[in-house]
Amino acid sequence: MSALDALTTPALLVDAAALDHNLDAMSAALPGARLRPHVKAHKSTQLAKRQAARGHLGFTCATLREMEGLAAAGLGADLLLANEVLDARRLGVLEARVTLAVDSHETIEAAVAGGVREVLIDVNVGLPRCGCAPAEAGPLAALARRRGLEVRGVMGYEGHAMGIVDRAQREALVEESMRLLRTAHADVGGEVISAGGTGSYDCNASASEIQAGSYALLDTAYAGLGLPFRPALSLLATVVSLSATYAVADCGLKALGMDHGNPRIDGARVLFCSDEHVTFAPDGAAFGVGDRIRVWPAHVDPTVAYHEKMHVVADDAVIETWAVDLRGW
Amino acid sequence: MSALDALTTPALLVDAAALDHNLDAMSAALPGARLRPHVKAHKSTQLAKRQAARGHLGFTCATLREMEGLAAAGLGADLLLANEVLDARRLGVLEARVTLAVDSHETIEAAVAGGVREVLIDVNVGLPRCGCAPAEAGPLAALARRRGLEVRGVMGYEGHAMGIVDRAQREALVEESMRLLRTAHADVGGEVISAGGTGSYDCNASASEIQAGSYALLDTAYAGLGLPFRPALSLLATVVSLSATYAVADCGLKALGMDHGNPRIDGARVLFCSDEHVTFAPDGAAFGVGDRIRVWPAHVDPTVAYHEKMHVVADDAVIETWAVDLRGW
């Protein structure tokens, strides 16, 4: 254990109690294989081990590096790369059970050429990203089987529904998406219907497994949905400059994913972020040069990806430091 | 040399010819010590060595890690940390000439406590970020000298003028800012007036040295200013999925700084970025699954900070690979 004060800022902090709460709450709702945690949100094998210890032995990945890192950490019991690749050779050599998403004849051929043995047919359920049209799923599954691949089932990510604040609207869009996925699954077969995320973990009854990842650390975007998870990820920053009307801390846009907008600071209004600074207007609270403050990121995933490590804290002490060892590609 | 096709995507590419053009053009305009290149924009000691080889032996940094990295690479002849810190101990032990920005009695005490010997008084010239009020500069310089520090002069970054497209407006705001800095300098003394950036390198006649960094690699934001520098930084991506109306490539918001908005793709209209994907509408051009494309980032600095390395390319071959070794804090 070491004191929080000893950390160089900006530093990524994980609140141990909030993390444990989130992991426990999700495991209670989706025990064991009902959850396939997505590691893209935290990129840490140490955090993945906490998820595995709660009985979630299969993981979802977005990159080859995440697959390799989990396999090397002994977490390769059932790894899904929920993403298309055109060169799968790094997957074929992994000492792990590997399943790869495919959505075209090119990605099926890449799986074969790379030595991958198991695939899911990735179906577009409404988000304009990867995935074949639902009607193409059956023919692609047949092609994959002809090419010697084991087709475990389908996946389809209803990402366009994930951030909708109104619960009824969110549920309706999840159901509309899953109707498409069920149709595709009827044509494809297999045991797996992999879908969902933190925003639909409790209203997606169609999926055999949910790919949630953000629930572990949360962010200000997901915190607005009224889910039973707590913000666990913040940045420790130091106030480095002060004027009559604003203060400046050393946590800028190279320490924060900015696609969801500015971070939040308790007791202050964030004005803007520069490369290494956040300028904010104290909102009642008094700030002094040298003060340590907490900055709450709007989007966890691209925030974590900027950092080498995260410090697990309890009672203003660092109890563990985890490498963010799944970064890069 | 190796073929571009062999790279895992997304990969950060530096066009060798464009980089050389940019470095040469800037060195012709601001030779030797007239330019103090800011390394925050590229975070690579290999690129800094190219700048030093053109006669720019002093460097500007934004972080302790950048200072340490340059010193370790033998580039420590004259390093300026153009940023405030409350713990300067990592600077005091560097084998380098170190100058630190200070803007308060707290940061002056931190410089003393950390063993730093030389400082610049950082003056707010209009950008609401660090820097003391111009009238405070003289008293702070006096305090610093009483505390045994060598005050080399002043710095003041007119960042609020940097992106203004209209040249006359930009020049007027630069002049207004530099009037404040000259006033402060008259009270502070010393040889150094450090200011400016890529947007003001040719219209800031007050500064004794210009802190430009973005000129080396450029980005789509700076490319709109009509400066004589060329976009040199792009991302190599692979088209991984295709639908009737859009395509998807494997270069998302974990590979791109997003604070300036979406990247650009030649021959296409970018629709949105996800963690590991960019979805775009082909605009006449035809794209196929497996195609390699170039993605042009809107903001170089936070883009580079996501990557471990950059590949210098000429004629579709990788001629060198440089570590982005100044990342982190």
Side-chain angles (χ1 to χ4, degrees), chain A residues 236-320:
Chain A
L236 185 70
T238 303
V239 176
V240 295
S241 188
L242 207 59
S243 83
T245 55
Y246 58 83
V248 182
D250 61 355
C251 175
L253 54 85
K254 284 176 178 166
L256 292 162
M258 293 298 292
D259 61 296
H260 283 20
N262 282 331
R264 293 190 191 158
I265 296 174
D266 297 333
R269 191 164 39 88
V270 171
L271 299 177
F272 71 102
C273 289
S274 314
D275 277 18
E276 300 291 353
H277 300 104
V278 55
T279 297
F280 58 99
D283 196 17
F287 292 89
V289 173
D291 283 0
R292 294 284 177 112
I293 63 169
R294 298 286 181 100
V295 178
W296 300 92
H299 192 183
V300 157
D301 308 46
T303 295
V304 170
Y306 270 130
H307 295 265
E308 295 168 352
K309 51 197 172 188
M310 48 176 81
H311 306 280
V312 185
V313 300
D315 298 327
D316 278 346
V318 177
I319 55 176
E320 262 185 274

Coordinates of all heavy atoms in Angstrom, one line a residue, chain A residues 236-320:
Chain A
L236 N -6.9 11.0 -11.2 CA -6.3 11.9 -10.2 C -5.5 13.0 -10.9 O -4.7 12.6 -11.7 CB -5.4 11.1 -9.2 CG -4.8 11.9 -8.0 CD1 -5.9 12.2 -7.0 CD2 -3.7 11.1 -7.4
A237 N -5.8 14.2 -10.6 CA -5.1 15.3 -11.2 C -4.7 16.3 -10.2 O -5.2 16.3 -9.0 CB -6.0 16.0 -12.3
T238 N -3.7 17.2 -10.5 CA -3.2 18.2 -9.6 C -3.6 19.6 -10.2 O -3.4 19.8 -11.4 CB -1.7 18.1 -9.5 OG1 -1.3 16.8 -9.1 CG2 -1.1 19.1 -8.5
V239 N -4.1 20.4 -9.4 CA -4.3 21.8 -9.8 C -3.0 22.5 -9.9 O -2.2 22.6 -9.0 CB -5.2 22.6 -8.8 CG1 -5.4 24.0 -9.2 CG2 -6.6 21.9 -8.7
V240 N -2.6 22.9 -11.1 CA -1.3 23.5 -11.4 C -1.3 25.0 -11.6 O -0.2 25.6 -11.5 CB -0.6 22.8 -12.6 CG1 -0.4 21.4 -12.4 CG2 -1.4 23.1 -13.9
S241 N -2.5 25.6 -11.8 CA -2.5 27.0 -12.0 C -3.9 27.5 -11.6 O -4.9 26.8 -11.7 CB -2.2 27.4 -13.5 OG -2.1 28.8 -13.7
L242 N -4.0 28.8 -11.2 CA -5.2 29.4 -10.7 C -5.3 30.8 -11.1 O -4.3 31.5 -11.1 CB -5.2 29.3 -9.2 CG -6.4 29.2 -8.3 CD1 -7.3 28.0 -8.7 CD2 -6.1 29.2 -6.9
S243 N -6.5 31.2 -11.6 CA -6.7 32.6 -11.8 C -7.9 33.1 -11.0 O -8.5 32.3 -10.2 CB -6.9 32.9 -13.3 OG -8.3 32.6 -13.6
A244 N -8.4 34.3 -11.2 CA -9.5 34.8 -10.5 C -10.8 34.0 -10.7 O -11.6 33.8 -9.9 CB -9.7 36.3 -10.7
T245 N -10.9 33.5 -12.0 CA -12.2 32.9 -12.4 C -12.1 31.5 -12.8 O -13.2 30.8 -13.0 CB -12.8 33.7 -13.6 OG1 -11.8 33.7 -14.6 CG2 -13.1 35.1 -13.2
Y246 N -11.0 30.9 -12.9 CA -10.9 29.5 -13.3 C -9.6 28.9 -12.7 O -8.7 29.6 -12.2 CB -10.9 29.3 -14.8 CG -9.8 30.1 -15.5 CD1 -8.5 29.5 -15.6 CD2 -9.9 31.3 -16.1 CE1 -7.4 30.2 -16.2 CE2 -8.9 32.0 -16.7 CZ -7.7 31.4 -16.8 OH -6.6 32.1 -17.4
A247 N -9.6 27.5 -12.7 CA -8.5 26.8 -12.3 C -8.1 25.8 -13.4 O -8.8 25.5 -14.3 CB -8.8 26.0 -11.0
V248 N -6.8 25.3 -13.3 CA -6.3 24.5 -14.4 C -5.6 23.2 -13.7 O -4.8 23.4 -12.8 CB -5.2 25.2 -15.2 CG1 -4.7 24.3 -16.3 CG2 -5.8 26.5 -15.8
A249 N -6.0 22.0 -14.1 CA -5.4 20.8 -13.6 C -4.7 20.1 -14.7 O -5.1 20.2 -15.9 CB -6.5 20.0 -12.9
D250 N -3.8 19.2 -14.3 CA -2.9 18.5 -15.3 C -3.5 17.2 -15.8 O -2.9 16.1 -15.8 CB -1.6 18.3 -14.7 CG -1.6 17.4 -13.5 OD1 -2.7 17.0 -13.0 OD2 -0.5 17.1 -12.9
C251 N -4.8 17.3 -16.3 CA -5.4 16.1 -16.9 C -6.1 16.5 -18.2 O -7.2 17.1 -18.1 CB -6.4 15.5 -15.9 SG -7.4 14.2 -16.5
G252 N -5.4 16.3 -19.3 CA -6.0 16.9 -20.6 C -6.5 15.8 -21.5 O -6.7 14.6 -21.1
L253 N -6.6 16.1 -22.8 CA -7.2 15.3 -23.7 C -6.3 14.1 -24.2 O -6.7 13.3 -25.0 CB -7.8 16.1 -24.9 CG -6.9 17.0 -25.7 CD1 -6.2 16.3 -26.7 CD2 -7.7 18.2 -26.2
K254 N -5.0 14.1 -23.7 CA -4.2 12.9 -23.9 C -4.4 11.9 -22.8 O -3.7 10.8 -22.8 CB -2.7 13.3 -24.1 CG -2.4 13.9 -25.4 CD -1.0 14.4 -25.5 CE -0.7 14.9 -26.9 NZ 0.6 15.7 -26.9
A255 N -5.2 12.3 -21.8 CA -5.4 11.3 -20.7 C -6.9 10.9 -20.6 O -7.3 10.2 -19.8 CB -5.0 12.0 -19.4
L256 N -7.7 11.4 -21.6 CA -9.1 11.3 -21.6 C -9.7 11.0 -23.0 O -9.3 11.7 -23.9 CB -9.8 12.6 -21.1 CG -9.6 13.0 -19.7 CD1 -9.9 14.5 -19.6 CD2 -10.5 12.2 -18.8
G257 N -10.5 10.0 -23.1 CA -11.2 9.8 -24.4 C -12.2 11.0 -24.5 O -13.0 11.2 -23.6
M258 N -12.2 11.7 -25.6 CA -13.0 12.9 -25.8 C -14.2 12.8 -26.7 O -14.9 13.8 -26.9 CB -12.1 14.1 -26.3 CG -11.0 14.5 -25.3 SD -11.6 15.1 -23.7 CE -12.4 16.7 -24.3
D259 N -14.4 11.6 -27.2 CA -15.5 11.5 -28.2 C -16.9 11.7 -27.6 O -17.8 12.0 -28.3 CB -15.5 10.1 -28.9 CG -15.6 9.0 -27.9 OD1 -14.7 8.9 -27.0 OD2 -16.6 8.3 -27.9
H260 N -17.0 11.4 -26.3 CA -18.3 11.7 -25.6 C -18.3 13.1 -24.9 O -19.2 13.4 -24.2 CB -18.6 10.6 -24.5 CG -19.0 9.3 -25.0 ND1 -18.8 8.9 -26.3 CD2 -19.7 8.3 -24.4 CE1 -19.4 7.7 -26.5 NE2 -19.9 7.3 -25.4
G261 N -17.3 13.9 -25.2 CA -17.3 15.2 -24.6 C -16.4 15.4 -23.4 O -15.7 14.5 -23.1
N262 N -16.6 16.5 -22.8 CA -15.7 16.8 -21.6 C -16.0 15.9 -20.4 O -17.0 15.4 -20.2 CB -16.0 18.3 -21.2 CG -15.3 19.3 -22.1 OD1 -14.3 19.0 -22.7 ND2 -15.9 20.5 -22.2
P263 N -15.0 15.8 -19.6 CA -15.1 15.0 -18.3 C -15.9 15.9 -17.3 O -16.2 17.1 -17.6 CB -13.7 14.8 -17.9 CG -13.0 16.0 -18.3 CD -13.6 16.4 -19.7
R264 N -16.2 15.4 -16.2 CA -16.8 16.1 -15.1 C -15.8 16.2 -13.9 O -15.0 15.4 -13.7 CB -18.1 15.4 -14.6 CG -19.1 15.5 -15.7 CD -20.5 15.0 -15.1 NE -21.4 14.8 -16.2 CZ -22.5 14.1 -16.2 NH1 -22.8 13.4 -15.1 NH2 -23.3 14.0 -17.2
I265 N -15.9 17.3 -13.2 CA -15.2 17.5 -11.9 C -16.2 17.9 -10.8 O -17.0 18.8 -11.0 CB -14.1 18.6 -12.1 CG1 -13.1 18.2 -13.2 CG2 -13.4 19.0 -10.8 CD1 -12.1 19.3 -13.5
D266 N -16.1 17.2 -9.7 CA -17.0 17.5 -8.6 C -16.8 19.0 -8.2 O -15.6 19.4 -8.0 CB -16.8 16.6 -7.4 CG -17.1 15.1 -7.8 OD1 -17.9 14.9 -8.7 OD2 -16.5 14.2 -7.2
G267 N -17.9 19.7 -8.0 CA -17.8 21.1 -7.5 C -17.2 22.1 -8.5 O -16.8 23.2 -8.1
A268 N -17.3 21.7 -9.7 CA -16.7 22.7 -10.8 C -17.4 22.4 -12.1 O -18.1 21.4 -12.3 CB -15.2 22.4 -10.9
R269 N -17.3 23.4 -13.0 CA -17.8 23.3 -14.3 C -16.6 23.3 -15.3 O -15.8 24.2 -15.3 CB -18.7 24.6 -14.6 CG -19.6 24.6 -15.8 CD -20.6 25.7 -15.7 NE -20.1 26.9 -15.1 CZ -19.5 27.9 -15.8 NH1 -19.4 27.8 -17.1 NH2 -19.0 28.9 -15.2
V270 N -16.5 22.2 -16.0 CA -15.4 22.1 -17.0 C -15.6 23.0 -18.1 O -16.7 23.0 -18.8 CB -15.2 20.6 -17.4 CG1 -14.2 20.5 -18.6 CG2 -14.8 19.7 -16.3
L271 N -14.6 23.8 -18.5 CA -14.7 24.7 -19.6 C -14.1 24.1 -20.9 O -14.8 24.1 -21.9 CB -14.0 26.0 -19.2 CG -14.5 26.8 -18.0 CD1 -13.7 28.0 -17.7 CD2 -16.0 27.2 -18.2
F272 N -12.9 23.6 -20.8 CA -12.4 22.9 -22.0 C -11.1 22.2 -21.6 O -10.5 22.4 -20.5 CB -12.0 24.0 -23.1 CG -10.9 24.9 -22.8 CD1 -9.6 24.6 -23.4 CD2 -11.0 26.0 -22.0 CE1 -8.6 25.5 -23.2 CE2 -9.9 26.8 -21.8 CZ -8.7 26.6 -22.4
C273 N -10.7 21.2 -22.5 CA -9.5 20.4 -22.3 C -8.5 20.8 -23.4 O -8.9 21.0 -24.6 CB -9.9 19.0 -22.4 SG -10.8 18.3 -21.0
S274 N -7.3 20.9 -23.0 CA -6.1 21.0 -24.0 C -5.3 19.7 -23.8 O -5.7 18.8 -23.1 CB -5.2 22.1 -23.6 OG -6.0 23.3 -23.3
D275 N -4.2 19.6 -24.6 CA -3.5 18.3 -24.6 C -3.2 17.8 -23.1 O -3.4 16.6 -22.9 CB -2.1 18.5 -25.3 CG -2.2 18.4 -26.8 OD1 -3.4 18.5 -27.3 OD2 -1.2 18.2 -27.4
E276 N -2.7 18.7 -22.3 CA -2.3 18.2 -20.9 C -3.0 19.0 -19.8 O -2.6 18.9 -18.6 CB -0.8 18.4 -20.7 CG 0.1 17.6 -21.7 CD 0.0 16.1 -21.5 OE1 -0.6 15.7 -20.5 OE2 0.6 15.4 -22.4
H277 N -4.1 19.7 -20.1 CA -4.8 20.5 -19.1 C -6.3 20.4 -19.3 O -6.8 20.3 -20.3 CB -4.4 22.0 -19.3 CG -3.0 22.3 -19.1 ND1 -2.1 22.5 -20.2 CD2 -2.2 22.3 -18.0 CE1 -0.9 22.7 -19.8 NE2 -0.9 22.6 -18.5
V278 N -7.0 20.5 -18.1 CA -8.4 20.8 -18.1 C -8.6 22.1 -17.4 O -8.1 22.3 -16.3 CB -9.2 19.7 -17.4 CG1 -8.7 19.3 -16.0 CG2 -10.7 20.0 -17.4
T279 N -9.3 23.1 -18.0 CA -9.6 24.4 -17.4 C -11.0 24.3 -16.9 O -11.9 23.9 -17.7 CB -9.4 25.5 -18.5 OG1 -8.1 25.6 -18.9 CG2 -9.8 26.8 -17.9
F280 N -11.2 24.7 -15.7 CA -12.6 24.6 -15.1 C -12.9 25.7 -14.2 O -12.0 26.4 -13.6 CB -12.7 23.2 -14.3 CG -11.7 23.0 -13.2 CD1 -12.1 23.3 -11.9 CD2 -10.5 22.5 -13.5 CE1 -11.2 23.0 -10.9 CE2 -9.6 22.3 -12.5 CZ -9.9 22.6 -11.2
A281 N -14.2 26.0 -14.1 CA -14.6 27.1 -13.2 C -15.1 26.5 -11.9 O -16.1 25.7 -11.9 CB -15.8 27.9 -13.9
P282 N -14.5 26.9 -10.8 CA -14.9 26.4 -9.5 C -16.4 26.8 -9.3 O -16.7 28.0 -9.6 CB -14.0 27.1 -8.5 CG -12.8 27.4 -9.3 CD -13.3 27.7 -10.7
D283 N -17.2 25.9 -8.8 CA -18.6 26.2 -8.7 C -19.0 26.2 -7.2 O -19.6 25.3 -6.7 CB -19.3 25.0 -9.4 CG -20.8 25.3 -9.7 OD1 -21.1 26.5 -9.7 OD2 -21.5 24.4 -10.0
G284 N -18.5 27.2 -6.5 CA -18.7 27.2 -5.1 C -17.5 26.7 -4.3 O -16.9 27.4 -3.5
A285 N -17.0 25.5 -4.7 CA -15.9 24.9 -4.0 C -14.6 25.8 -4.2 O -14.5 26.4 -5.3 CB -15.6 23.5 -4.5
A286 N -13.7 25.8 -3.3 CA -12.5 26.5 -3.4 C -11.4 25.6 -3.8 O -11.3 24.5 -3.2 CB -12.1 27.2 -2.1
F287 N -10.6 26.0 -4.8 CA -9.4 25.1 -5.2 C -8.1 25.9 -5.0 O -8.1 27.1 -5.2 CB -9.6 24.8 -6.7 CG -10.7 23.9 -7.0 CD1 -12.0 24.3 -7.3 CD2 -10.5 22.5 -7.0 CE1 -13.0 23.5 -7.6 CE2 -11.6 21.6 -7.2 CZ -12.8 22.1 -7.5
G288 N -7.1 25.2 -4.6 CA -5.8 25.9 -4.5 C -4.7 25.2 -5.3 O -4.9 24.0 -5.6
V289 N -3.7 25.9 -5.7 CA -2.6 25.3 -6.4 C -2.0 24.2 -5.6 O -1.7 24.4 -4.5 CB -1.5 26.4 -6.8 CG1 -0.3 25.7 -7.5 CG2 -2.1 27.4 -7.8
G290 N -1.8 23.0 -6.2 CA -1.3 21.9 -5.5 C -2.4 20.9 -5.1 O -2.1 19.8 -4.7
D291 N -3.7 21.3 -5.1 CA -4.8 20.4 -4.7 C -4.8 19.2 -5.6 O -4.6 19.4 -6.8 CB -6.1 21.2 -4.7 CG -6.3 22.1 -3.5 OD1 -5.4 22.2 -2.7 OD2 -7.4 22.8 -3.5
R292 N -5.2 18.1 -5.0 CA -5.4 16.9 -5.9 C -6.9 16.8 -6.0 O -7.7 16.9 -5.1 CB -4.9 15.7 -5.2 CG -3.4 15.6 -5.0 CD -2.8 15.3 -6.4 NE -1.3 15.2 -6.4 CZ -0.6 14.1 -6.6 NH1 -1.2 12.9 -6.6 NH2 0.7 14.2 -6.7
I293 N -7.4 16.6 -7.3 CA -8.8 16.5 -7.6 C -9.1 15.2 -8.4 O -8.2 14.6 -8.9 CB -9.3 17.7 -8.4 CG1 -8.6 17.8 -9.7 CG2 -9.1 19.0 -7.6 CD1 -9.3 18.8 -10.7
R294 N -10.4 14.9 -8.4 CA -10.8 13.7 -9.3 C -11.5 14.2 -10.5 O -12.4 15.1 -10.4 CB -11.8 12.8 -8.5 CG -11.2 12.2 -7.2 CD -10.2 11.1 -7.6 NE -9.7 10.5 -6.3 CZ -10.2 9.3 -5.8 NH1 -11.2 8.7 -6.4 NH2 -9.7 8.9 -4.7
V295 N -11.2 13.7 -11.6 CA -11.8 14.0 -12.9 C -12.5 12.7 -13.4 O -11.9 11.6 -13.4 CB -10.7 14.4 -13.9 CG1 -11.3 14.7 -15.3 CG2 -9.9 15.7 -13.4
W296 N -13.8 12.9 -13.8 CA -14.6 11.7 -14.2 C -14.7 11.7 -15.7 O -15.4 12.6 -16.3 CB -16.0 11.8 -13.5 CG -15.8 11.8 -12.0 CD1 -15.7 12.9 -11.2 CD2 -15.7 10.6 -11.2 NE1 -15.6 12.5 -9.9 CE2 -15.6 11.1 -9.8 CE3 -15.7 9.3 -11.4 CZ2 -15.4 10.3 -8.8 CZ3 -15.6 8.4 -10.3 CH2 -15.5 8.9 -9.0
P297 N -14.2 10.7 -16.4 CA -14.2 10.6 -17.8 C -15.6 10.4 -18.4 O -16.4 9.6 -17.8 CB -13.3 9.5 -18.2 CG -13.3 8.6 -17.0 CD -13.5 9.5 -15.8
A298 N -15.9 10.9 -19.6 CA -17.2 10.7 -20.2 C -17.3 9.4 -20.9 O -18.3 8.8 -21.1 CB -17.4 11.8 -21.3
H299 N -16.1 8.8 -21.3 CA -16.1 7.5 -22.0 C -14.9 6.7 -21.5 O -13.7 7.1 -21.7 CB -16.0 7.7 -23.5 CG -16.3 6.5 -24.3 ND1 -16.2 6.5 -25.7 CD2 -16.6 5.2 -24.0 CE1 -16.5 5.3 -26.1 NE2 -16.7 4.5 -25.1
V300 N -15.2 5.6 -20.8 CA -14.1 4.8 -20.2 C -13.1 4.2 -21.2 O -11.9 4.4 -21.1 CB -14.7 3.6 -19.4 CG1 -13.7 2.5 -19.2 CG2 -15.2 4.1 -18.0
D301 N -13.6 3.6 -22.3 CA -12.8 2.8 -23.1 C -11.6 3.6 -23.7 O -10.4 3.1 -23.6 CB -13.6 2.2 -24.3 CG -14.8 1.4 -23.8 OD1 -15.6 2.0 -22.9 OD2 -15.1 0.3 -24.2
P302 N -11.8 4.7 -24.4 CA -10.7 5.4 -25.0 C -9.9 6.1 -23.9 O -8.7 6.5 -24.2 CB -11.3 6.4 -26.0 CG -12.7 6.5 -25.5 CD -13.1 5.3 -24.8
T303 N -10.4 6.3 -22.7 CA -9.6 6.9 -21.6 C -8.6 5.9 -21.2 O -7.4 6.2 -21.1 CB -10.6 7.3 -20.5 OG1 -11.4 8.3 -20.9 CG2 -9.8 7.8 -19.3
V304 N -9.0 4.7 -20.8 CA -8.1 3.7 -20.4 C -7.0 3.4 -21.4 O -5.8 3.2 -21.0 CB -8.9 2.3 -20.1 CG1 -8.0 1.2 -19.8 CG2 -9.9 2.5 -18.9
A305 N -7.3 3.5 -22.6 CA -6.3 3.1 -23.7 C -5.2 4.1 -23.7 O -4.1 3.8 -24.3 CB -7.0 3.1 -25.0
Y306 N -5.3 5.3 -23.1 CA -4.1 6.2 -23.0 C -3.2 5.9 -21.9 O -2.1 6.5 -21.8 CB -4.7 7.6 -22.8 CG -5.0 8.4 -24.1 CD1 -6.2 9.1 -24.2 CD2 -4.0 8.5 -25.1 CE1 -6.4 9.8 -25.4 CE2 -4.3 9.2 -26.2 CZ -5.5 9.9 -26.4 OH -5.8 10.6 -27.5
H307 N -3.5 5.0 -21.0 CA -2.7 4.8 -19.8 C -2.0 3.5 -19.7 O -2.5 2.5 -20.1 CB -3.6 5.0 -18.5 CG -4.2 6.4 -18.4 ND1 -3.7 7.4 -17.7 CD2 -5.3 7.0 -19.1 CE1 -4.4 8.5 -17.8 NE2 -5.4 8.3 -18.7
E308 N -0.8 3.5 -19.1 CA 0.0 2.3 -18.9 C -0.5 1.5 -17.7 O -0.3 0.3 -17.7 CB 1.4 2.7 -18.6 CG 2.1 3.4 -19.7 CD 3.4 4.0 -19.3 OE1 3.8 4.1 -18.1 OE2 4.2 4.5 -20.2
K309 N -1.1 2.1 -16.7 CA -1.5 1.4 -15.6 C -2.7 2.0 -14.9 O -3.0 3.2 -15.1 CB -0.3 1.3 -14.6 CG 0.3 2.6 -14.3 CD 1.7 2.4 -13.7 CE 2.4 3.7 -13.6 NZ 3.8 3.6 -13.2
M310 N -3.4 1.3 -14.1 CA -4.5 1.8 -13.3 C -4.2 1.4 -11.8 O -3.7 0.3 -11.5 CB -5.8 1.3 -13.7 CG -6.0 -0.2 -14.0 SD -7.7 -0.7 -14.5 CE -7.7 -0.3 -16.2
H311 N -4.5 2.3 -10.9 CA -4.2 2.1 -9.5 C -5.5 1.8 -8.8 O -6.5 2.6 -8.9 CB -3.6 3.4 -8.9 CG -2.3 3.8 -9.6 ND1 -1.1 3.2 -9.4 CD2 -2.1 4.7 -10.6 CE1 -0.2 3.7 -10.2 NE2 -0.8 4.7 -10.9
V312 N -5.6 0.7 -8.1 CA -6.8 0.3 -7.4 C -6.7 1.0 -6.0 O -5.7 0.8 -5.3 CB -6.9 -1.2 -7.3 CG1 -8.2 -1.6 -6.6 CG2 -6.8 -1.8 -8.6
V313 N -7.7 1.8 -5.6 CA -7.6 2.5 -4.4 C -8.7 2.2 -3.4 O -9.8 1.9 -3.8 CB -7.5 4.1 -4.7 CG1 -6.4 4.4 -5.5 CG2 -8.8 4.5 -5.3
A314 N -8.4 2.3 -2.2 CA -9.4 2.2 -1.1 C -8.9 3.1 0.0 O -7.7 3.1 0.4 CB -9.5 0.8 -0.6
D315 N -9.8 3.9 0.6 CA -9.4 4.8 1.7 C -8.2 5.6 1.4 O -7.3 5.7 2.2 CB -9.2 4.0 3.0 CG -10.5 3.2 3.4 OD1 -11.6 3.8 3.1 OD2 -10.4 2.1 3.9
D316 N -8.1 6.2 0.2 CA -7.0 7.1 -0.2 C -5.7 6.4 -0.2 O -4.6 7.1 -0.1 CB -7.0 8.3 0.7 CG -8.0 9.4 0.2 OD1 -8.5 9.2 -1.0 OD2 -8.3 10.3 0.9
A317 N -5.7 5.1 -0.3 CA -4.4 4.4 -0.4 C -4.4 3.5 -1.7 O -5.5 3.0 -2.1 CB -4.1 3.5 0.8
V318 N -3.3 3.3 -2.3 CA -3.2 2.4 -3.5 C -3.0 1.0 -3.0 O -2.0 0.8 -2.3 CB -2.0 2.9 -4.4 CG1 -1.9 1.9 -5.6 CG2 -2.2 4.3 -4.9
I319 N -3.9 0.1 -3.2 CA -3.8 -1.2 -2.7 C -3.2 -2.2 -3.7 O -2.6 -3.2 -3.4 CB -5.1 -1.8 -2.1 CG1 -6.2 -1.7 -3.1 CG2 -5.5 -1.0 -0.9 CD1 -7.5 -2.3 -2.7
E320 N -3.4 -1.8 -5.0 CA -2.8 -2.6 -6.1 C -2.6 -1.7 -7.3 O -3.3 -0.8 -7.5 CB -3.7 -3.8 -6.5 CG -3.4 -5.1 -5.9 CD -4.4 -6.2 -6.4 OE1 -5.5 -6.3 -5.9 OE2 -3.9 -6.9 -7.4

